[in-house]
Amino acid sequence: MKLANGSTVAIVGGGPGGTLTAIFLLDLAQQLRRQLTVDIYEPKRYTCTGPTGCNMCGGVISESLIQMLATEGILLPDSVVIDTINAYILHTDFEAARIDAPRQEMRIATIFRGAGPKGSEHQQPLPWQSFDQYLLDMAIAKGARLREVSVSALRLEEGFPVLIAHDQPPLRYDLLVGAVGINQKKSLQLFEGLNFGYYRPKTTRAYVAELYYGVEQVQQRLGHAMHVFLLNIPHLKFAAITPKGHYATLVILGDQIDQEVVDRFFAAPEVQKCLPEGWSIPVKPCHCQPSIVIGPAKKPFTDRIVMVGDASVSRLYKDGIGSAYRMAKRLAYTALAHGVSGKDFQKYYWPVCRTLLWDNRLGHLLFAFDNLFRTVPLLRRGMMALLRRERCQAEGTACPLSSAFWNTFTGSASYWHIARELLHPMTIWKLLRELLLRNKTHSS
Ligand SMILES: Cc1cc2nc3c(=O)[nH]c(=O)nc-3n(C[C@H](O)[C@H](O)[C@H](O)COP(=O)(O)OP(=O)(O)OC[C@H]3O[C@@H](n4cnc5c(N)ncnc54)[C@H](O)[C@@H]3O)c2cc1C
């Protein structure tokens, strides 16, 4: 079962998982001198502002992903990169600590997935470009065909996937790629209904809002730093405000985030300091409550069908686009170099998903530790003291805690790498020393 000259591929979903798969398939096919027909099915218009054009995400791209994309010839233009971040500010209930990029060249990019937040259409022409549209245009430039319709039915005929979209006649393909993300339950049901054992990943509800500050207030209140909040609010695991030109993107992750958590977050004094002076929460900011992947899908492939991106697996709470990149690249290699049978995907594609899956298990463990720091004030004080001490150290001295935080927030490294930094005997010893010092100061 191979993708030969003249083979056809349907990609359902034109988010990063789908477009990167198309780009890698078409690039590799060209190198192998094979002619492929690649159809991307995507009804969303990324040129529209607000929810119509948006794939609901924080829009932070780690420096490692920027570099990996650059090696593929995918250079993000200035119009796509809205801001760059060179530091994190970690806010707790009693103080804040700054964590600078470990190296000068380490920069994180912030992007809009669609054309921008609801209401930004009043700025004409828009000063930025959609990240998803940029990837989609690149896939089209490489030869992919865009079908601006939603796929409404799938079936198998003589072992081949057949796809029905809107009013077009059923089409049979040699390979069907499910890149439908996690937010459209009906689309996930279409793949589950093919009965090859696929079952959607486990998810929870997150919260994203685009808050209008104006450029000056963004600079004044946030600068070029992402503001991360370690607050003791039930259900909240991670909350961050990220500068994005005129806007600040708020992301709240945790266990079924609801309006009560959001209200408690906004009311926290540490958060108020990062909002423009005299600012009150708009009645209806551009916001959404998307699902976020917290567990892997079951059996994301079979003969001639494979799932990619969020619909398969994603790195826990970070680097979803980077995960989609890794899977898309391996998928294209498997399909063209080896084949499109379930066995080929098991042997060559599954390892990349499995690595993410195992890493996420460690991620869950690290977030359990994070909970401990969030709820025990003494631990929090010790951690902040160590971060402060690392910042005062001479340049070139190892700063394992700052580095672990940097890697956690940026998504630049695996949880395995972060755990090695955090659980290094020297880091534990330094933290214990800070805790003892704090304890002494408190009791004297
Ligand atoms: C709150 C939150 C914050 C996040 N922040 C970040 C971050 O800062 N950085 C990061 O790297 N990742 C982040 N992520 C994760 C990231 O958004 C996802 O990992 C990424 O979007 C996955 O890409 P995808 O292509 O698999 O799915 P998606 O981006 O969801 O794309 C799926 C596409 O499929 C289309 N589709 C669905 N059904 C059909 C159908 N039947 N027919 C045709 N098309 C269909 C949809 O319209 C959509 O465009 C965040 C996620 C959440 C929830």
Side-chain angles (χ1 to χ4, degrees):
M1 248 180 242
K2 287 223 169 197
L3 283 187
N5 210 15
S7 290
T8 55
V9 181
I11 300 178
V12 188
T19 47
L20 287 168
T21 301
I23 291 170
F24 294 138
L25 275 173
L26 288 160
D27 274 350
L28 194 55
Q30 196 191 22
Q31 284 168 30
L32 297 171
R33 294 177 194 280
R34 270 182 238 167
Q35 186 70 39
L36 279 191
T37 299
V38 177
D39 288 342
I40 300 176
Y41 288 83
E42 176 56 70
K44 206 166 259 180
R45 307 283 154 92
Y46 302 125
T47 45
C48 296
T49 56
T52 326
C54 180
N55 266 332
M56 299 176 290
C57 140
V60 174
I61 310 274
S62 70
E63 76 274 5
S64 57
L65 180 58
I66 295 174
Q67 281 165 17
M68 285 189 296
L69 290 176
T71 58
E72 311 291 348
I74 307 174
L75 299 160
L76 299 182
D78 288 350
S79 55
V80 170
V81 176
I82 294 157
D83 234 314
T84 51
I85 290 172
N86 50 25
Y88 279 80
I89 299 184
L90 181 62
H91 298 264
T92 65
D93 48 350
F94 58 94
E95 65 175 320
R98 187 183 168 92
I99 302 162
D100 285 301
R103 288 191 303 278
Q104 259 301 307
E105 72 276 13
M106 286 174 117
R107 291 272 189 281
I108 293 148
T110 62
I111 48 117
F112 283 130
R113 299 287 301 272
K118 189 172 67 185
S120 63
E121 61 274 9
H122 298 308
Q123 301 181 44
Q124 284 299 345
L126 283 172
W128 52 72
Q129 203 191 336
S130 149
F131 173 79
D132 286 21
Q133 183 68 44
Y134 174 73
L135 290 183
L136 186 57
D137 286 343
M138 185 168 267
I140 293 168
K142 287 182 188 283
R145 300 189 305 193
L146 174 64
R147 309 260 183 209
E148 289 180 282
V149 285
S150 185
V151 172
S152 52
L154 295 171
R155 63 169 189 259
L156 283 169
E157 247 175 42
E158 296 157 357
F160 285 84
V162 173
L163 179 154
I164 299 158
H166 196 51
D167 51 4
Q168 79 179 25
L171 285 174
R172 182 195 270 215
Y173 286 91
D174 294 301
L175 174 65
L176 170 67
V177 179
V180 293
I182 204 66
N183 281 295
Q184 294 188 32
K185 309 298 170 216
K186 275 192 180 160
S187 305
L188 291 162
Q189 268 166 14
L190 293 181
F191 285 90
E192 288 164 355
L194 290 171
N195 293 324
F196 62 89
Y198 172 72
Y199 191 74
R200 72 190 70 178
K202 194 173 171 204
T203 59
T204 187
R205 184 121 45 88
Y207 178 89
V208 188
E210 301 293 352
L211 310 172
Y212 183 79
Y213 278 37
V215 174
E216 262 178 39
Q217 285 291 322
V218 168
Q219 281 315 305
Q220 219 172 318
R221 295 282 156 168
L222 307 175
H224 287 288
M226 189 198 251
H227 294 251
V228 180
F229 300 86
L230 197 67
L231 305 176
N232 190 12
I233 298 177
H235 302 291
L236 186 150
K237 276 196 171 21
F238 173 93
I241 300 182
T242 312
K244 248 184 231 178
H246 295 265
Y247 288 83
T249 303
L250 164 64
V251 170
I252 304 182
L253 306 179
D255 185 14
Q256 297 299 355
I257 299 301
D258 57 15
Q259 195 56 42
E260 196 190 328
V261 179
V262 176
D263 292 342
R264 284 189 67 175
F265 173 80
F266 274 119
E270 306 74 39
V271 176
Q272 292 278 323
K273 283 182 216 154
C274 295
L275 301 175
E277 217 168 328
W279 192 82
S280 56
I281 311 162
V283 185
K284 273 192 182 164
C286 184
H287 75 288
C288 55
Q289 289 192 272
S291 295
I292 190 160
V293 176
I294 54 167
K298 272 193 197 142
K299 199 155 185 291
F301 50 80
T302 187
D303 291 349
R304 300 190 185 279
I305 304 174
V306 60
M307 310 301 287
V308 71
D310 274 12
S312 177
V313 62
S314 177
R315 194 168 326 266
L316 183 69
Y317 295 135
K318 60 179 189 151
D319 197 28
I321 299 170
S323 311
Y325 161 87
R326 285 179 192 86
M327 282 183 263
K329 190 159 179 174
R330 186 63 76 89
L331 194 168
Y333 163 76
T334 305
L336 281 157
H338 297 284
V340 294
S341 71
K343 276 190 184 153
D344 293 317
F345 289 128
Q346 173 76 42
K347 191 164 177 194
Y348 301 102
Y349 174 65
W350 176 241
V352 79
C353 305
R354 194 177 48 208
T355 307
L356 282 167
L357 191 153
W358 277 101
D359 199 49
N360 283 350
R361 294 199 172 136
L362 203 56
H364 279 291
L365 207 70
L366 289 178
F367 273 101
F369 271 119
D370 167 86
N371 209 27
L372 206 63
F373 279 89
R374 198 188 299 279
T375 47
V376 182
L378 182 66
L379 281 177
R380 221 155 50 235
R381 283 179 193 277
M383 179 190 77
M384 294 303 269
L386 180 52
L387 284 175
R388 240 188 353 260
R389 199 182 289 274
E390 286 188 345
R391 200 168 140 67
C392 298
Q393 282 177 170
E395 217 174 286
T397 319
C399 302
L401 190 61
S402 308
S403 170
F405 271 109
W406 177 266
N407 286 327
T408 305
F409 300 147
T410 59
S412 297
S414 62
Y415 283 113
W416 167 243
H417 182 94
I418 295 164
R420 271 201 335 224
E421 285 176 318
L422 279 179
L423 301 178
H424 193 278
M426 191 50 88
T427 320
I428 294 174
W429 158 241
K430 283 180 176 174
L431 192 59
L432 281 175
R433 200 180 56 185
E434 293 298 342
L435 288 176
L436 287 173
L437 282 173
R438 297 289 105 192
N439 211 11
K440 240 190 216 167
T441 332
H442 267 252
S443 45
S444 61

